[in-house]
Amino acid sequence: MYKLPPDAELLTIQEASQRLGKGFSRTSILRRISSGQWKEGLHWVDARRNDSMNRLIRINVTAVLNGFTTPAAFR
């Protein structure tokens, strides 16, 4: 299991969309999650309670932004 780093900043999808700006709408964030481009436990977490059926997605904005520091040829 992946352990979140201490500097992880977890935001709701709406908050992450506003923080990340153009190109990161709610739809594009959900598409990145469902396609597997963003990995669970690294880029996003499911913060729901054990007895809940609905996902409560939190985006790790720190990990998403760190992805931009890697040159495109190496991503």
Side-chain angles (χ1 to χ4, degrees), residues 47-68:
R48 67 179 156 189
R49 295 188 325 229
N50 290 337
D51 61 345
S52 178
M53 292 187 63
N54 297 327
R55 292 192 304 182
L56 185 58
I57 296 174
R58 297 284 188 243
I59 307 299
N60 181 356
V61 177
T62 306
V64 172
L65 292 174
N66 283 342
F68 292 123

Side-chain angles (χ1 to χ4, degrees), residues 2 4-7 9 12-13 15 17-18 20-21 23 27 37 41 47 52-54 64 66 68-69 73-74:
Y2 183 80
L4 285 173
D7 64 343
E9 184 178 358
T12 65
I13 293 177
E15 293 168 337
S17 176
Q18 292 172 352
L20 296 170
T27 305
Q37 182 180 357
S52 178
M53 292 187 63
N54 297 327
V64 172
N66 283 342
F68 292 123
T69 61
F74 298 105

